[in-house]
Amino acid sequence: MSDPSNATQPGHWGPPYLLYLGSAADDLAIKTARGLAYWRPDWCVGQLRRRDCKPTLGLPEMSVAAARKAGANTMVIGAANAGGVMSPEIVADAIAALEAGLHVAAGLHQKLRENPDIVAAARRHHRVLFDARDPMPGIPVGNGRPRAGRRLLTVGTDCSVGKMYTTLAIERCMRQRGLAADFRATGQTGILVAGAGIPIDAVVADFIAGAAEKISPARLDGGWDLIEGQGSLFHPSYAGVSLGLLHGSQPDALVLCHEPTRRHMRGLSDYPLPELKLCLQANLAAAQLTNPAVKAVGVALNTSGLSASDAAVACRRISGLLDLPCQDPVTMGVEAIVDNLLACCAN
């Protein structure tokens, strides 16, 4: 699992968090910060926005000094730009946070520890840098051997359709029922939410299945590992990571995630979204390599682009098409999906 082992000095990064939005232009750019504010609101003391920042989380506006005084321990760079690089403004604000006594965490492709000025400031002030997109050393090649425990994996018709939110919603629902269930993070936002995980998109391709095996080892308590999916088997850019997760997770259950208003694969206007039944069948076929008994147990829709009535119609239509419960995890919950999971995987 990810940990603060890449820190420049001994210390402990973690909540409470100051969420850094910087100069973000839209809500998509602050996906990491929004995920933390939604799933771990008790960890988030405030937000830091530059004057040209457009979106907001509705948290108290704070400087790094005010956040430290309010009890913040770590500033999370919760905004991303094209390419996931650190602008001069991000670098300056990260250094200011370190000087104020905060640790700094980020999920950008460009690492904090790759910037000499940030590293020097962290050493000078004895603060920790945590790069969520930095996989641990020693990830093994996947072996496909059956292992004890029960696992659910979320899969998608495309990228960014709600796989992390769906997985976390299922964890919350199962825990509210008194069941043992644990979210297993595979992306930078999920890692910051969970406090552990492996950033699958930063793992060398040969080791993706092994990384999935490592974050979900043998489990003997009868509980569930709920594994955050990535990408889509039908996305020309990211199908490889999806396939590796399907094989390494050895899922007993799949939940298909979909955004019904999307017309083409994210970033690829020449590629339409796959037909739902075909997509689900392809994911099941791939998963059967390492778990022949895998079952589809539900469909999670991101209906943020639909009215409430249209969302209800879409869920009914897709439920009838696939003969599975279909819900929006944010507006409808996942009770029916969890009911079906427990019914389908009772033994």
Side-chain angles (χ1 to χ4, degrees), residues 2-346:
S2 293
D3 58 41
S5 60
N6 57 8
T8 59
Q9 293 287 340
H12 178 68
W13 72 276
Y17 292 138
L18 170 66
L19 300 182
Y20 178 80
L21 309 188
S23 298
D26 53 37
D27 281 339
L28 187 59
I30 62 167
K31 183 173 73 170
T32 293
R34 189 169 295 283
L36 278 167
Y38 183 87
W39 289 107
R40 300 291 186 260
D42 52 323
W43 290 2
C44 305
V45 302
Q47 63 183 23
L48 193 163
R49 301 192 305 157
R50 284 184 162 259
R51 290 182 179 179
D52 56 346
C53 182
K54 295 181 180 178
T56 179
L57 299 170
L59 295 172
E61 302 281 355
M62 291 186 178
S63 66
V64 289
R68 184 64 180 140
K69 188 175 181 180
N73 182 55
T74 303
M75 185 177 83
V76 175
I77 298 176
N81 50 33
V85 299
M86 286 186 290
S87 65
E89 292 78 16
I90 291 176
V91 172
D93 291 338
I95 292 172
L98 294 164
E99 291 174 343
L102 296 170
H103 305 302
V104 178
L108 300 172
H109 282 291
Q110 185 179 10
K111 309 293 192 299
L112 294 165
R113 60 178 170 76
E114 292 173 348
N115 185 284
D117 294 330
I118 291 176
V119 170
R123 286 177 174 157
R124 191 164 59 248
H125 297 282
H126 307 290
R127 299 293 91 189
V128 166
L129 303 177
F130 176 67
D131 288 305
R133 254 198 174 109
D134 191 12
M136 66 172 68
I139 296 173
V141 173
N143 57 52
R145 288 193 291 269
R147 57 195 191 274
R150 297 186 292 181
R151 297 169 184 85
L152 177 147
L153 174 70
T154 49
V155 296
T157 55
D158 193 10
C159 306
S160 302
V161 291
K163 293 183 284 292
M164 183 193 76
Y165 272 62
T166 298
T167 313
L168 283 162
I170 292 171
E171 179 196 51
R172 181 170 61 187
C173 179
M174 294 181 77
R175 288 186 171 185
Q176 288 172 345
R177 298 185 184 198
L179 302 171
D182 295 289
F183 172 74
R184 304 302 186 191
T186 62
Q188 70 275 15
T189 303
I191 289 169
L192 291 166
V193 169
I198 296 177
I200 291 294
D201 67 356
V203 174
V204 174
D206 280 357
F207 299 90
I208 292 173
E213 292 177 0
K214 192 169 183 68
I215 63 170
S216 179
R219 181 166 186 160
L220 303 173
D221 66 351
W224 282 84
D225 279 359
L226 309 171
I227 302 169
E228 174 191 11
Q230 298 291 334
S232 168
L233 284 182
F234 289 80
H235 198 296
S237 305
Y238 308 119
V241 70
S242 306
L243 185 61
L245 275 172
L246 280 160
H247 291 164
S249 299
Q250 295 181 13
D252 299 280
L254 298 181
V255 172
L256 179 65
C257 303
H258 176 60
E259 184 181 332
T261 59
R262 197 173 296 187
R263 294 294 172 259
H264 59 78
M265 305 303 281
R266 185 179 176 191
L268 297 176
S269 58
D270 293 335
Y271 283 85
L273 261 66
E275 190 273 324
L276 288 174
K277 187 173 289 188
L278 173 64
C279 182
L280 185 57
Q281 289 170 345
N283 278 278
L284 286 167
Q288 285 167 356
L289 177 70
T290 53
N291 188 348
V294 62
K295 301 173 183 176
V297 298
V299 182
L301 289 194
N302 177 348
T303 64
S304 57
L306 299 175
S307 67
S309 59
D310 286 345
V313 169
C315 284
R316 287 195 298 270
R317 178 181 64 82
I318 292 172
S319 180
L321 174 68
L322 300 179
D323 194 26
L324 291 170
C326 179
Q327 298 176 284
D328 183 321
V330 175
T331 61
M332 304 172 186
V334 291
E335 294 286 347
I337 294 173
V338 171
D339 286 343
N340 197 44
L341 167 68
L342 299 177
C344 290
C345 303

